[in-house]
Amino acid sequence: MKQLEVLQKEEKELYVIEETIEKEEKQVKRIKESYEQHFHEARYFLDNLCYLFHKNEQSTFYQSLMDEYSQESRRILEHLEIDETELHDQKKRIVDLLEDINYEKRKLLVEEDTNEY
């Protein structure tokens, strides 16, 4: 019976961890969506600047600025995607552990039932 209590305690702890990971996943997703929106707005602004100064001698400056901005934005999005993937992997490990605990609990309950007879 003590073993079952230990498994239940561990299961509760894992559910709390899983819930925390789900909250973090949602937060990363919201940040990513917000950043993508800002990225597109800034990209549109830079495109307009580039168009306005296309005939200017500094047109290459605006083009290089836009390229640098795009590159940095892609890096940020890649980091957010990596965070999202890591959280997903953590959650999968927790779910696997929960499945293992459920299996152990069922096994213990079956053993108790067979011992009673």
Side-chain angles (χ1 to χ4, degrees):
M1 202 59 159
K2 280 196 170 212
Q3 198 174 18
L4 186 58
E5 290 173 4
V6 170
L7 286 173
Q8 288 174 334
K9 182 181 176 192
E10 191 175 332
E11 182 181 39
K12 286 179 185 177
E13 292 171 357
L14 287 172
Y15 276 124
V16 169
I17 293 170
E18 181 184 30
E19 187 178 317
T20 303
I21 290 172
E22 285 176 359
K23 287 178 183 176
E24 289 178 13
E25 277 182 318
K26 288 177 184 176
Q27 186 177 14
V28 167
K29 186 176 180 177
R30 281 193 305 272
I31 290 169
K32 184 178 165 190
E33 288 170 354
S34 176
Y35 186 78
E36 286 174 339
Q37 180 183 351
H38 291 297
F39 169 72
H40 290 296
E41 290 171 3
R43 178 75 181 201
Y44 179 75
F45 175 76
L46 289 173
D47 282 341
N48 285 337
L49 277 179
C50 189
Y51 176 76
L52 289 173
F53 292 96
H54 182 68
K55 295 179 183 177
N56 191 323
E57 291 177 8
Q58 293 186 351
S59 65
T60 57
F61 168 74
Y62 290 101
Q63 184 62 43
S64 66
L65 180 67
M66 189 172 7
D67 291 344
E68 188 177 323
Y69 173 77
S70 295
Q71 186 178 27
E72 194 61 36
S73 292
R74 278 192 294 275
R75 276 192 219 130
I76 291 170
L77 283 173
E78 285 174 5
H79 286 291
L80 288 171
E81 288 172 0
I82 289 169
D83 289 347
E84 206 171 25
T85 302
E86 287 175 358
L87 287 170
H88 179 75
D89 291 345
Q90 287 177 8
K91 184 177 174 185
K92 177 139 177 46
R93 284 191 295 274
I94 297 297
V95 168
D96 289 345
L97 290 171
L98 284 168
E99 288 174 2
D100 291 345
I101 288 174
N102 283 326
Y103 172 77
E104 289 298 319
K105 283 174 39 179
R106 284 192 307 275
K107 191 169 124 181
L108 284 174
L109 291 172
V110 167
E111 285 177 9
E112 281 181 21
D113 285 345
T114 56
N115 288 339
E116 287 179 10
Y117 293 115

